[in-house]
Amino acid sequence: MNNNVDINSINEQRQLRRILAVCRVLDLDHKFLGFTLDLNRSGIKIIVDKNFPSGDEFKIILSPVKEDEEISPDIVVKVEQKWRTSTNEEFDQIGGVIIEVDSPEYIEELIDYCDRRAKERYQLDWQ
């Protein structure tokens, strides 16, 4: 395997802007696990209870916070964990690559919605 290709691929992925996205993270039985911190079309960062099982891959449900407008339904995503770090005594942060989505059109809608809401709330120049 050529390490230059891997490094270039990682650098390209890091150049994608992360989008502040607050969704509930549920297990496949709809039990609450934590929240998303950020999201883009290829990656995700979540904060979960320390009891969240360790593993290279896992499936979770992203359940968007319903506010003043109708947005996408719950979305099942499969994540390949890239890193995990302790936030405090109760929670860990996990970063990973999204490797499978049950509804690609809904995740696009969710990302666009979260991006728009973050811009409205924080009025930052995202360019």
Side-chain angles (χ1 to χ4, degrees):
M1 177 164 50
N2 184 340
N3 288 334
N4 290 333
V5 173
D6 293 337
I7 290 170
N8 290 336
S9 174
I10 289 170
N11 286 336
E12 284 176 23
Q13 290 176 7
R14 288 182 179 161
Q15 290 174 7
L16 291 175
R17 183 169 61 84
R18 293 179 179 177
I19 296 168
L20 176 64
V22 179
C23 297
R24 292 178 300 143
V25 174
L26 311 173
D27 67 14
L28 297 180
D29 293 324
H30 294 273
K31 179 183 169 207
F32 178 78
L33 301 173
F35 291 97
T36 57
L37 297 173
D38 65 51
L39 180 67
N40 64 32
R41 285 158 180 78
S42 62
I44 188 169
K45 183 163 74 170
I46 61 175
I47 187 164
V48 292
D49 186 274
K50 284 209 180 283
N51 294 330
F52 186 84
S54 294
D56 293 338
E57 294 180 356
F58 54 87
K59 282 188 177 182
I60 54 174
I61 297 172
L62 302 183
S63 182
V65 176
K66 311 295 191 252
E67 293 185 353
D68 57 342
E69 65 181 277
E70 194 60 35
I71 57 173
S72 61
D74 293 353
I75 303 164
V76 177
V77 296
K78 186 174 184 180
V79 177
E80 179 183 344
Q81 180 176 308
K82 293 298 184 181
W83 57 267
R84 183 173 183 154
T85 186
S86 177
T87 299
N88 57 32
E89 301 81 36
E90 295 180 57
F91 300 100
D92 283 351
Q93 288 186 35
I94 298 173
V97 175
I98 296 173
I99 55 177
E100 185 179 308
V101 178
D102 72 337
S103 302
E105 68 278 5
Y106 289 141
I107 199 153
E108 291 290 330
E109 184 180 309
L110 174 61
I111 290 168
D112 291 344
Y113 170 80
C114 290
D115 192 29
R116 189 173 66 253
R117 293 296 292 179
K119 287 177 183 176
E120 290 169 0
R121 284 189 177 156
Y122 303 107
Q123 297 186 11
L124 300 173
D125 181 12
W126 295 93
Q127 302 299 327

